[in-house]
Amino acid sequence: MNTDFFEGITFESNDYTKIPVPKGDYENCMFKKCDFSGSDLSEIRFEDCEFLTCNLSMAAVANCAFRNVTFRNCKMLGINFEECSQFGLSFRFEECNLSHASFFGGKFRNTMFIKSRLHEVIFTESDLVNSVFDECDLSRAVFDQTHLEGSDFRTSFNFAINPNQNRMKRSRFSLTGAASLLESFDIKID
């Protein structure tokens, strides 16, 4: 059982590729310019925390709890978010690179993706109800059997979503973005 408790601490420029991240609970903590790439964050709980300009690429997140966590300007390549603890899961991404990450089959309702790069991200069978994709690049992102009801794609681009393979009631798209919904029908719009 995790016994270490960290509250209100700012961690700056720590290199967790050389030393392991201390296991425990982190509340109201801030991580600035820290390198977590390839680190094991399994079983750690982050609540009301903020990550600024950190590298979390390929971090292991099995049963990691992210509750009301914000990631800003972070590099987060290849993370398997479906392995996170689903209990109380709540996070937002601002100006992050999440390329090659996976949200397969997880429940990520109300997630905010803002000005982020989401190249080749797997959203297959995930629940993204009422999520917002604001100015995101979704090039080659995979949406298959995804719950997108009420989600907002109005300012995002480079996405291909098949309406026949995803639940999309009340989802929002711009007029130009809506044309990409017709790609799966092999329809030409002039």
Side-chain angles (χ1 to χ4, degrees), residues 115-150:
K115 296 181 181 178
S116 293
R117 175 183 250 183
L118 300 159
H119 289 192
E120 299 185 48
V121 172
I122 304 297
F123 292 111
T124 301
E125 297 181 19
S126 62
D127 183 344
L128 293 164
V129 170
N130 296 322
S131 291
V132 174
F133 295 84
D134 183 20
E135 295 185 46
C136 292
D137 183 352
L138 290 151
S139 180
R140 296 179 309 280
V142 179
F143 295 91
D144 186 25
Q145 305 304 315
T146 308
H147 298 228
L148 298 169
E149 294 93 339

mmCIF file of all heavy atoms in Angstrom, residues 115-150:
data_model
loop_
_atom_site.group_PDB
_atom_site.id
_atom_site.type_symbol
_atom_site.label_atom_id
_atom_site.label_comp_id
_atom_site.label_asym_id
_atom_site.label_seq_id
_atom_site.Cartn_x
_atom_site.Cartn_y
_atom_site.Cartn_z
ATOM 1 N N LYS A 115 -5.819 22.509 -28.465
ATOM 2 C CA LYS A 115 -4.629 22.812 -29.281
ATOM 3 C C LYS A 115 -3.570 21.722 -29.173
ATOM 4 O O LYS A 115 -2.384 21.993 -29.011
ATOM 5 C CB LYS A 115 -4.042 24.170 -28.892
ATOM 6 C CG LYS A 115 -4.971 25.329 -29.161
ATOM 7 C CD LYS A 115 -4.355 26.648 -28.783
ATOM 8 C CE LYS A 115 -5.343 27.775 -29.055
ATOM 9 N NZ LYS A 115 -4.814 29.073 -28.668
ATOM 10 N N SER A 116 -4.014 20.483 -29.267
ATOM 11 C CA SER A 116 -3.104 19.356 -29.094
ATOM 12 C C SER A 116 -2.946 18.555 -30.378
ATOM 13 O O SER A 116 -3.808 18.569 -31.245
ATOM 14 C CB SER A 116 -3.609 18.446 -27.970
ATOM 15 O OG SER A 116 -3.518 19.116 -26.730
ATOM 16 N N ARG A 117 -1.817 17.866 -30.463
ATOM 17 C CA ARG A 117 -1.537 16.996 -31.600
ATOM 18 C C ARG A 117 -1.916 15.582 -31.188
ATOM 19 O O ARG A 117 -1.388 15.050 -30.205
ATOM 20 C CB ARG A 117 -0.066 17.066 -31.956
ATOM 21 C CG ARG A 117 0.333 16.105 -33.047
ATOM 22 C CD ARG A 117 1.812 16.176 -33.283
ATOM 23 N NE ARG A 117 1.988 16.802 -34.585
ATOM 24 C CZ ARG A 117 3.140 16.984 -35.155
ATOM 25 N NH1 ARG A 117 4.250 16.670 -34.528
ATOM 26 N NH2 ARG A 117 3.221 17.505 -36.350
ATOM 27 N N LEU A 118 -2.834 14.983 -31.961
ATOM 28 C CA LEU A 118 -3.357 13.659 -31.654
ATOM 29 C C LEU A 118 -3.175 12.734 -32.859
ATOM 30 O O LEU A 118 -4.099 12.042 -33.277
ATOM 31 C CB LEU A 118 -4.841 13.765 -31.272
ATOM 32 C CG LEU A 118 -5.128 14.640 -30.049
ATOM 33 C CD1 LEU A 118 -6.571 15.107 -30.020
ATOM 34 C CD2 LEU A 118 -4.797 13.893 -28.786
ATOM 35 N N HIS A 119 -1.985 12.701 -33.423
ATOM 36 C CA HIS A 119 -1.714 11.877 -34.601
ATOM 37 C C HIS A 119 -1.731 10.400 -34.240
ATOM 38 O O HIS A 119 -1.078 9.976 -33.288
ATOM 39 C CB HIS A 119 -0.350 12.218 -35.187
ATOM 40 C CG HIS A 119 -0.297 13.552 -35.860
ATOM 41 N ND1 HIS A 119 0.756 13.935 -36.639
ATOM 42 C CD2 HIS A 119 -1.166 14.592 -35.885
ATOM 43 C CE1 HIS A 119 0.541 15.148 -37.112
ATOM 44 N NE2 HIS A 119 -0.614 15.570 -36.651
ATOM 45 N N GLU A 120 -2.508 9.633 -35.000
ATOM 46 C CA GLU A 120 -2.588 8.180 -34.871
ATOM 47 C C GLU A 120 -2.977 7.718 -33.470
ATOM 48 O O GLU A 120 -2.567 6.644 -33.018
ATOM 49 C CB GLU A 120 -1.272 7.527 -35.321
ATOM 50 C CG GLU A 120 -0.949 7.831 -36.782
ATOM 51 C CD GLU A 120 0.274 7.105 -37.286
ATOM 52 O OE1 GLU A 120 0.383 5.890 -37.058
ATOM 53 O OE2 GLU A 120 1.112 7.778 -37.925
ATOM 54 N N VAL A 121 -3.767 8.517 -32.782
ATOM 55 C CA VAL A 121 -4.269 8.127 -31.455
ATOM 56 C C VAL A 121 -5.421 7.142 -31.636
ATOM 57 O O VAL A 121 -6.255 7.290 -32.526
ATOM 58 C CB VAL A 121 -4.724 9.372 -30.656
ATOM 59 C CG1 VAL A 121 -5.417 8.972 -29.370
ATOM 60 C CG2 VAL A 121 -3.533 10.272 -30.367
ATOM 61 N N ILE A 122 -5.468 6.137 -30.794
ATOM 62 C CA ILE A 122 -6.520 5.122 -30.846
ATOM 63 C C ILE A 122 -7.631 5.502 -29.865
ATOM 64 O O ILE A 122 -7.414 5.550 -28.649
ATOM 65 C CB ILE A 122 -5.968 3.722 -30.466
ATOM 66 C CG1 ILE A 122 -4.798 3.331 -31.356
ATOM 67 C CG2 ILE A 122 -7.079 2.674 -30.505
ATOM 68 C CD1 ILE A 122 -5.116 3.192 -32.814
ATOM 69 N N PHE A 123 -8.821 5.783 -30.415
ATOM 70 C CA PHE A 123 -10.002 6.068 -29.607
ATOM 71 C C PHE A 123 -11.033 4.947 -29.756
ATOM 72 O O PHE A 123 -12.186 5.102 -29.361
ATOM 73 C CB PHE A 123 -10.635 7.397 -30.028
ATOM 74 C CG PHE A 123 -9.805 8.612 -29.701
ATOM 75 C CD1 PHE A 123 -9.219 9.359 -30.712
ATOM 76 C CD2 PHE A 123 -9.630 9.020 -28.392
ATOM 77 C CE1 PHE A 123 -8.477 10.491 -30.416
ATOM 78 C CE2 PHE A 123 -8.883 10.155 -28.082
ATOM 79 C CZ PHE A 123 -8.302 10.888 -29.103
ATOM 80 N N THR A 124 -10.650 3.824 -30.307
ATOM 81 C CA THR A 124 -11.552 2.714 -30.565
ATOM 82 C C THR A 124 -12.263 2.270 -29.282
ATOM 83 O O THR A 124 -11.624 2.094 -28.245
ATOM 84 C CB THR A 124 -10.771 1.527 -31.175
ATOM 85 O OG1 THR A 124 -10.166 1.969 -32.388
ATOM 86 C CG2 THR A 124 -11.673 0.348 -31.456
ATOM 87 N N GLU A 125 -13.591 2.136 -29.381
ATOM 88 C CA GLU A 125 -14.465 1.655 -28.308
ATOM 89 C C GLU A 125 -14.391 2.488 -27.030
ATOM 90 O O GLU A 125 -14.817 2.043 -25.964
ATOM 91 C CB GLU A 125 -14.179 0.175 -27.998
ATOM 92 C CG GLU A 125 -14.476 -0.736 -29.179
ATOM 93 C CD GLU A 125 -14.221 -2.202 -28.880
ATOM 94 O OE1 GLU A 125 -14.164 -2.576 -27.690
ATOM 95 O OE2 GLU A 125 -14.078 -2.973 -29.852
ATOM 96 N N SER A 126 -13.862 3.689 -27.106
ATOM 97 C CA SER A 126 -13.794 4.527 -25.903
ATOM 98 C C SER A 126 -15.050 5.375 -25.762
ATOM 99 O O SER A 126 -15.795 5.582 -26.715
ATOM 100 C CB SER A 126 -12.543 5.404 -25.923
ATOM 101 O OG SER A 126 -12.561 6.276 -27.027
ATOM 102 N N ASP A 127 -15.273 5.864 -24.570
ATOM 103 C CA ASP A 127 -16.415 6.715 -24.254
ATOM 104 C C ASP A 127 -15.899 8.138 -24.092
ATOM 105 O O ASP A 127 -15.251 8.469 -23.104
ATOM 106 C CB ASP A 127 -17.074 6.226 -22.966
ATOM 107 C CG ASP A 127 -18.323 7.015 -22.589
ATOM 108 O OD1 ASP A 127 -18.531 8.111 -23.134
ATOM 109 O OD2 ASP A 127 -19.079 6.531 -21.732
ATOM 110 N N LEU A 128 -16.172 8.964 -25.102
ATOM 111 C CA LEU A 128 -15.736 10.366 -25.104
ATOM 112 C C LEU A 128 -16.947 11.303 -25.103
ATOM 113 O O LEU A 128 -16.880 12.409 -25.645
ATOM 114 C CB LEU A 128 -14.861 10.635 -26.331
ATOM 115 C CG LEU A 128 -13.516 9.927 -26.335
ATOM 116 C CD1 LEU A 128 -12.901 9.940 -27.722
ATOM 117 C CD2 LEU A 128 -12.576 10.567 -25.338
ATOM 118 N N VAL A 129 -18.027 10.875 -24.503
ATOM 119 C CA VAL A 129 -19.241 11.681 -24.448
ATOM 120 C C VAL A 129 -18.929 13.063 -23.873
ATOM 121 O O VAL A 129 -18.218 13.195 -22.871
ATOM 122 C CB VAL A 129 -20.329 10.963 -23.606
ATOM 123 C CG1 VAL A 129 -21.505 11.881 -23.326
ATOM 124 C CG2 VAL A 129 -20.784 9.702 -24.321
ATOM 125 N N ASN A 130 -19.413 14.092 -24.546
ATOM 126 C CA ASN A 130 -19.264 15.498 -24.136
ATOM 127 C C ASN A 130 -17.818 15.970 -24.030
ATOM 128 O O ASN A 130 -17.516 16.912 -23.300
ATOM 129 C CB ASN A 130 -19.999 15.779 -22.819
ATOM 130 C CG ASN A 130 -21.494 15.603 -22.966
ATOM 131 O OD1 ASN A 130 -22.070 15.950 -23.987
ATOM 132 N ND2 ASN A 130 -22.118 15.033 -21.961
ATOM 133 N N SER A 131 -16.925 15.329 -24.760
ATOM 134 C CA SER A 131 -15.529 15.775 -24.782
ATOM 135 C C SER A 131 -15.371 16.900 -25.799
ATOM 136 O O SER A 131 -16.171 17.042 -26.720
ATOM 137 C CB SER A 131 -14.599 14.617 -25.123
ATOM 138 O OG SER A 131 -14.585 13.692 -24.057
ATOM 139 N N VAL A 132 -14.329 17.691 -25.634
ATOM 140 C CA VAL A 132 -14.079 18.821 -26.534
ATOM 141 C C VAL A 132 -12.714 18.640 -27.179
ATOM 142 O O VAL A 132 -11.714 18.408 -26.486
ATOM 143 C CB VAL A 132 -14.143 20.160 -25.767
ATOM 144 C CG1 VAL A 132 -13.737 21.320 -26.665
ATOM 145 C CG2 VAL A 132 -15.536 20.382 -25.199
ATOM 146 N N PHE A 133 -12.702 18.754 -28.491
ATOM 147 C CA PHE A 133 -11.477 18.740 -29.280
ATOM 148 C C PHE A 133 -11.356 20.132 -29.892
ATOM 149 O O PHE A 133 -11.946 20.418 -30.925
ATOM 150 C CB PHE A 133 -11.549 17.665 -30.371
ATOM 151 C CG PHE A 133 -11.623 16.264 -29.831
ATOM 152 C CD1 PHE A 133 -12.837 15.715 -29.443
ATOM 153 C CD2 PHE A 133 -10.484 15.504 -29.700
ATOM 154 C CE1 PHE A 133 -12.911 14.421 -28.948
ATOM 155 C CE2 PHE A 133 -10.541 14.202 -29.203
ATOM 156 C CZ PHE A 133 -11.759 13.660 -28.823
ATOM 157 N N ASP A 134 -10.641 21.015 -29.232
ATOM 158 C CA ASP A 134 -10.539 22.411 -29.647
ATOM 159 C C ASP A 134 -9.203 22.657 -30.346
ATOM 160 O O ASP A 134 -8.142 22.560 -29.712
ATOM 161 C CB ASP A 134 -10.673 23.310 -28.408
ATOM 162 C CG ASP A 134 -10.661 24.784 -28.736
ATOM 163 O OD1 ASP A 134 -10.916 25.156 -29.897
ATOM 164 O OD2 ASP A 134 -10.366 25.570 -27.825
ATOM 165 N N GLU A 135 -9.259 22.939 -31.628
ATOM 166 C CA GLU A 135 -8.073 23.212 -32.444
ATOM 167 C C GLU A 135 -7.051 22.080 -32.374
ATOM 168 O O GLU A 135 -5.843 22.307 -32.267
ATOM 169 C CB GLU A 135 -7.419 24.537 -32.058
ATOM 170 C CG GLU A 135 -8.292 25.749 -32.333
ATOM 171 C CD GLU A 135 -7.569 27.054 -32.053
ATOM 172 O OE1 GLU A 135 -6.407 27.202 -32.483
ATOM 173 O OE2 GLU A 135 -8.174 27.913 -31.394
ATOM 174 N N CYS A 136 -7.526 20.855 -32.462
ATOM 175 C CA CYS A 136 -6.650 19.684 -32.403
ATOM 176 C C CYS A 136 -6.407 19.110 -33.792
ATOM 177 O O CYS A 136 -7.294 19.108 -34.634
ATOM 178 C CB CYS A 136 -7.268 18.603 -31.512
ATOM 179 S SG CYS A 136 -7.323 19.057 -29.772
ATOM 180 N N ASP A 137 -5.202 18.599 -33.996
ATOM 181 C CA ASP A 137 -4.841 17.910 -35.227
ATOM 182 C C ASP A 137 -5.019 16.413 -34.983
ATOM 183 O O ASP A 137 -4.265 15.805 -34.224
ATOM 184 C CB ASP A 137 -3.396 18.239 -35.600
ATOM 185 C CG ASP A 137 -2.965 17.623 -36.923
ATOM 186 O OD1 ASP A 137 -3.725 16.807 -37.496
ATOM 187 O OD2 ASP A 137 -1.856 17.944 -37.380
ATOM 188 N N LEU A 138 -6.029 15.833 -35.637
ATOM 189 C CA LEU A 138 -6.393 14.429 -35.426
ATOM 190 C C LEU A 138 -5.999 13.560 -36.619
ATOM 191 O O LEU A 138 -6.682 12.593 -36.944
ATOM 192 C CB LEU A 138 -7.902 14.334 -35.173
ATOM 193 C CG LEU A 138 -8.354 14.906 -33.835
ATOM 194 C CD1 LEU A 138 -9.769 15.432 -33.885
ATOM 195 C CD2 LEU A 138 -8.214 13.860 -32.752
ATOM 196 N N SER A 139 -4.890 13.872 -37.234
ATOM 197 C CA SER A 139 -4.433 13.132 -38.404
ATOM 198 C C SER A 139 -4.273 11.644 -38.092
ATOM 199 O O SER A 139 -3.554 11.271 -37.166
ATOM 200 C CB SER A 139 -3.102 13.722 -38.873
ATOM 201 O OG SER A 139 -2.628 13.037 -39.993
ATOM 202 N N ARG A 140 -4.975 10.813 -38.854
ATOM 203 C CA ARG A 140 -4.933 9.355 -38.746
ATOM 204 C C ARG A 140 -5.366 8.827 -37.368
ATOM 205 O O ARG A 140 -5.036 7.696 -36.999
ATOM 206 C CB ARG A 140 -3.563 8.815 -39.160
ATOM 207 C CG ARG A 140 -3.233 9.086 -40.636
ATOM 208 C CD ARG A 140 -1.870 8.588 -41.073
ATOM 209 N NE ARG A 140 -0.751 8.997 -40.244
ATOM 210 C CZ ARG A 140 -0.148 10.188 -40.289
ATOM 211 N NH1 ARG A 140 -0.564 11.107 -41.116
ATOM 212 N NH2 ARG A 140 0.878 10.457 -39.508
ATOM 213 N N ALA A 141 -6.080 9.632 -36.583
ATOM 214 C CA ALA A 141 -6.654 9.134 -35.326
ATOM 215 C C ALA A 141 -7.754 8.135 -35.668
ATOM 216 O O ALA A 141 -8.460 8.290 -36.669
ATOM 217 C CB ALA A 141 -7.216 10.284 -34.498
ATOM 218 N N VAL A 142 -7.897 7.098 -34.858
ATOM 219 C CA VAL A 142 -8.841 6.028 -35.143
ATOM 220 C C VAL A 142 -10.056 6.129 -34.222
ATOM 221 O O VAL A 142 -9.931 6.030 -33.001
ATOM 222 C CB VAL A 142 -8.172 4.638 -34.978
ATOM 223 C CG1 VAL A 142 -9.162 3.523 -35.262
ATOM 224 C CG2 VAL A 142 -6.948 4.532 -35.884
ATOM 225 N N PHE A 143 -11.221 6.325 -34.849
ATOM 226 C CA PHE A 143 -12.498 6.336 -34.149
ATOM 227 C C PHE A 143 -13.295 5.156 -34.692
ATOM 228 O O PHE A 143 -13.695 5.148 -35.853
ATOM 229 C CB PHE A 143 -13.269 7.633 -34.409
ATOM 230 C CG PHE A 143 -12.605 8.859 -33.853
ATOM 231 C CD1 PHE A 143 -11.716 9.596 -34.622
ATOM 232 C CD2 PHE A 143 -12.880 9.279 -32.560
ATOM 233 C CE1 PHE A 143 -11.112 10.737 -34.122
ATOM 234 C CE2 PHE A 143 -12.273 10.424 -32.045
ATOM 235 C CZ PHE A 143 -11.393 11.145 -32.831
ATOM 236 N N ASP A 144 -13.528 4.139 -33.890
ATOM 237 C CA ASP A 144 -14.277 2.964 -34.315
ATOM 238 C C ASP A 144 -15.075 2.458 -33.114
ATOM 239 O O ASP A 144 -14.499 2.143 -32.078
ATOM 240 C CB ASP A 144 -13.320 1.879 -34.825
ATOM 241 C CG ASP A 144 -14.051 0.685 -35.410
ATOM 242 O OD1 ASP A 144 -15.208 0.835 -35.866
ATOM 243 O OD2 ASP A 144 -13.472 -0.416 -35.401
ATOM 244 N N GLN A 145 -16.396 2.446 -33.261
ATOM 245 C CA GLN A 145 -17.295 2.073 -32.162
ATOM 246 C C GLN A 145 -17.069 2.981 -30.954
ATOM 247 O O GLN A 145 -17.144 2.559 -29.801
ATOM 248 C CB GLN A 145 -17.114 0.596 -31.775
ATOM 249 C CG GLN A 145 -17.290 -0.374 -32.925
ATOM 250 C CD GLN A 145 -18.630 -0.232 -33.624
ATOM 251 O OE1 GLN A 145 -19.669 -0.132 -32.987
ATOM 252 N NE2 GLN A 145 -18.618 -0.187 -34.945
ATOM 253 N N THR A 146 -16.792 4.238 -31.244
ATOM 254 C CA THR A 146 -16.504 5.227 -30.206
ATOM 255 C C THR A 146 -17.781 5.990 -29.854
ATOM 256 O O THR A 146 -18.564 6.326 -30.729
ATOM 257 C CB THR A 146 -15.417 6.214 -30.710
ATOM 258 O OG1 THR A 146 -14.299 5.446 -31.178
ATOM 259 C CG2 THR A 146 -14.970 7.151 -29.623
ATOM 260 N N HIS A 147 -17.974 6.272 -28.580
ATOM 261 C CA HIS A 147 -19.126 7.037 -28.119
ATOM 262 C C HIS A 147 -18.732 8.511 -28.118
ATOM 263 O O HIS A 147 -17.967 8.955 -27.258
ATOM 264 C CB HIS A 147 -19.535 6.608 -26.708
ATOM 265 C CG HIS A 147 -19.964 5.186 -26.624
ATOM 266 N ND1 HIS A 147 -21.111 4.793 -25.994
ATOM 267 C CD2 HIS A 147 -19.418 4.046 -27.108
ATOM 268 C CE1 HIS A 147 -21.242 3.486 -26.080
ATOM 269 N NE2 HIS A 147 -20.214 3.020 -26.754
ATOM 270 N N LEU A 148 -19.262 9.245 -29.087
ATOM 271 C CA LEU A 148 -18.912 10.660 -29.259
ATOM 272 C C LEU A 148 -20.099 11.586 -29.052
ATOM 273 O O LEU A 148 -20.053 12.748 -29.442
ATOM 274 C CB LEU A 148 -18.342 10.869 -30.678
ATOM 275 C CG LEU A 148 -17.060 10.115 -31.001
ATOM 276 C CD1 LEU A 148 -16.752 10.177 -32.494
ATOM 277 C CD2 LEU A 148 -15.909 10.688 -30.198
ATOM 278 N N GLU A 149 -21.152 11.086 -28.435
ATOM 279 C CA GLU A 149 -22.350 11.898 -28.256
ATOM 280 C C GLU A 149 -22.018 13.210 -27.552
ATOM 281 O O GLU A 149 -21.357 13.229 -26.520
ATOM 282 C CB GLU A 149 -23.416 11.158 -27.437
ATOM 283 C CG GLU A 149 -23.995 9.941 -28.130
ATOM 284 C CD GLU A 149 -23.266 8.659 -27.781
ATOM 285 O OE1 GLU A 149 -22.098 8.723 -27.330
ATOM 286 O OE2 GLU A 149 -23.850 7.583 -27.976
ATOM 287 N N GLY A 150 -22.455 14.318 -28.138
ATOM 288 C CA GLY A 150 -22.260 15.635 -27.529
ATOM 289 C C GLY A 150 -20.845 16.169 -27.604
ATOM 290 O O GLY A 150 -20.548 17.225 -27.053
#
